[in-house]
Amino acid sequence: MLLPPALEQFLDLLRCPMCRTRLHPDRGALRCPAGHTFDIARHGYVSLLTGTRATSGDDADMARARDRFLSTGRYEPIRQAVARLAADTVPEQGAVVDVGCGTGYYLAGVLDQRPGARGLGLDTSVRALRSAARAHERAAAATWDVFRPFPLADGVADVVLDVFAPRNPSEFHRVLRPTGRLVVVRPTGRHLAELRGQVPAMVTIDPAKEQRLHQALAPFFEAADTEQVEYATSLTRLEALDLVGMTPSARHLNRADLDDDGLLPHQVTVSLLATAYRPRGNGLRTERGLEGDRGLEGRPAGGSA
């Protein structure tokens, strides 16, 4: 199997998750000097996870629902906000890492704005990574769990994206260049309020989310710029079903419970905050800091928004 071009472009930044040495291609896999081997799937992503596999992240139905919903353009304003916050930081030949990348929708939006940049999406969901590996010609994809040390060298990323995903602040800090930016997107309490109001089993948004985010990031980052994105968007019934189906709420709902035509709203409010953070130069790279985001759009461990 030929090495996917996007993955080849990222090889110099990747490290073996077992021994932290560099990886090289070898007969349809990546291998380190110690002989640790990681298969490249026929769909184009590389399987870097070892040991006990993470069980969270999108399953096949969730990934398909996400693909369909994002293709409607209903979340395009979110993708544009992410691209704006990242654009000023990514140099022409820069590197963008999307942690909990899902289908690669947001990573592709950033790469569209920077023609020479390269991207890497990390996620636990194999089904989502099949889409992420082909989301953009310059986007590589790999299986990974956000709660483990990332398979990347120190200080190699110009931007780290964390869109509706759990967070590992110390690892974000470690892999970012001192001049880099962390872009974090999270919902406000008004996000999809109409949907949550009519579907009681929907996962709620923790009102302490912002406080927890600040506490987790403060030792490593300071906020540089924040955009609030809020708008109303209409939904067809199928779009509403996909919107429910792509969130963690899908694990708590029976599709038959949504057969009532009056249950799903025809319009919802999209409301979120997108913040670009600059790394603090305080030498905390060796500390571990984990902050899960398990709200309505939260993605345990691997991610997928």
Side-chain angles (χ1 to χ4, degrees):
M1 173 181 176
L2 294 176
L3 185 67
L7 184 57
E8 185 175 15
Q9 291 179 14
F10 231 91
L11 274 184
D12 59 325
L13 310 185
L14 288 175
R15 293 295 181 268
C16 172
M18 307 276 296
C19 62
R20 313 302 296 175
T21 56
R22 294 187 65 159
L23 296 166
H24 63 272
D26 183 12
R27 292 171 294 179
L30 297 184
R31 193 185 305 273
C32 76
H36 301 126
T37 304
F38 308 93
D39 292 336
I40 299 172
R42 61 185 177 87
H43 298 283
Y45 62 87
V46 59
S47 298
L48 293 178
L49 272 175
T50 59
T52 303
R53 300 300 177 103
T55 58
S56 52
D58 289 357
D59 60 24
D61 288 340
M62 291 171 68
R64 282 191 289 266
R66 190 174 303 282
D67 258 336
R68 289 191 300 265
F69 182 80
L70 293 178
S71 70
T72 67
R74 302 293 188 193
Y75 273 11
E76 179 62 23
I78 305 176
R79 183 156 80 159
Q80 292 176 2
V82 171
R84 282 193 300 271
L85 289 170
D88 291 340
T89 303
V90 183
E92 187 60 29
Q93 303 297 322
V96 182
V97 177
D98 188 353
V99 180
C101 67
T103 58
Y105 179 74
Y106 301 102
L107 177 58
V110 173
L111 296 178
D112 280 343
Q113 299 301 313
R114 279 292 179 265
R118 50 186 165 164
L120 173 69
L122 301 174
D123 205 289
T124 59
S125 171
V126 167
R127 179 55 185 82
L129 287 173
R130 293 178 183 177
S131 296
R134 60 177 185 269
H136 197 282
E137 62 182 3
R138 286 178 275 114
T143 57
W144 198 248
D145 183 345
V146 66
F147 296 122
R148 302 187 189 185
F150 299 164
L152 291 163
D154 294 352
V156 294
D158 296 285
V159 168
V160 170
L161 304 180
D162 184 271
V163 183
F164 298 132
R167 292 172 279 274
N168 187 335
S170 64
E171 279 297 286
F172 291 164
H173 191 273
R174 181 185 67 80
V175 303
L176 271 171
R177 302 184 194 280
T179 56
R181 292 291 184 272
L182 166 66
V183 178
V184 177
V185 177
R186 66 279 187 198
T188 75
R190 294 181 297 280
H191 186 57
L192 306 185
E194 300 87 351
L195 194 58
R196 287 185 284 116
Q198 293 185 223
V199 184
M202 289 286 289
V203 176
T204 59
I205 296 174
D206 182 358
K209 178 182 294 290
E210 280 301 298
Q211 181 181 3
R212 290 191 295 107
L213 174 67
H214 175 74
Q215 290 174 344
L217 293 184
F220 304 94
F221 296 94
E222 58 183 343
D225 189 16
T226 296
E227 287 194 28
Q228 180 168 358
V229 179
E230 185 164 311
Y231 59 94
T233 186
S234 59
L235 295 175
T236 67
R237 174 173 170 74
L238 290 178
E239 289 169 355
L241 287 171
D242 281 339
L243 184 53
V244 173
M246 74 186 218
T247 72
S249 299
R251 296 190 176 95
H252 310 290
L253 288 168
N254 186 326
R255 187 94 172 189
D257 295 336
L258 302 177
D259 284 344
D260 182 356
D261 287 339
L263 184 62
L264 296 172
H266 301 293
Q267 178 175 293
V268 293
T269 299
V270 176
S271 179
L272 57 95
L273 297 172
T275 302
Y277 295 87
R278 65 171 64 94
R280 294 186 187 275
N282 54 5
L284 292 182
R285 292 184 184 275
T286 59
E287 296 185 16
R288 294 299 307 276
L290 301 176
E291 204 279 319
D293 182 355
R294 303 173 190 271
L296 181 64
E297 283 286 338
R299 309 196 303 266
S304 330

